[in-house]
Amino acid sequence: MFYTKKEATYADTKKADLFLQALADGGFQVGELAKLMYPRGVEVEDQTFSDQIAHTLRLLEQENVTIYEAAIGHDNLFARVDVLRKTGNFIELIE
């Protein structure tokens, strides 16, 4: 994640790699399937990392919520979760 959004400093030499593109497309398909398996969720689609994290935190204030592409940050680390389900005090991460 350190290299994310730093194209000017760290060039992505694999953007034209068809195999890697196929893997990325497969990941998108898995994400869409997860939405079908865990319906009635809210997708975090904000543009910036900080807005994504803030949106996720607001959603987690609810007693029960399903979040697609939940954003988690700690120090300079950032992660997205395909599906995060919160039921009371129990949190389930689904990848």
Side-chain angles (χ1 to χ4, degrees):
M1 297 307 294
F2 175 79
Y3 301 100
T4 302
K5 303 283 185 184
K6 298 179 182 175
E7 292 86 5
T9 306
Y10 303 102
D12 185 352
T13 60
K14 297 183 175 129
K15 280 190 176 181
D17 188 312
L18 294 176
F19 176 72
L20 292 177
Q21 184 60 47
L23 286 177
D25 292 343
F28 173 76
Q29 293 170 352
V30 169
E32 292 302 308
L33 179 60
K35 291 177 190 176
L36 294 173
M37 294 177 67
Y38 301 95
R40 295 179 300 282
V42 179
E43 186 161 6
V44 175
E45 299 181 285
D46 304 84
Q47 294 298 309
T48 67
F49 293 153
S50 59
D51 287 345
Q52 294 165 7
I53 292 167
H55 188 177
T56 299
L57 290 173
R58 283 192 308 276
L59 291 169
L60 287 172
E61 292 174 359
Q62 298 178 41
E63 181 70 18
N64 301 305
V65 66
T66 298
I67 307 170
Y68 308 132
E69 298 299 328
I72 300 169
H74 178 73
D75 291 335
N76 65 341
L77 302 174
F78 179 83
R80 300 290 296 261
V81 179
D82 286 338
V83 180
L84 184 151
R85 290 178 51 188
K86 179 184 176 222
T87 307
N89 291 326
F90 179 76
I91 291 180
E92 180 181 12
L93 305 178
I94 303 153
E95 278 294 311

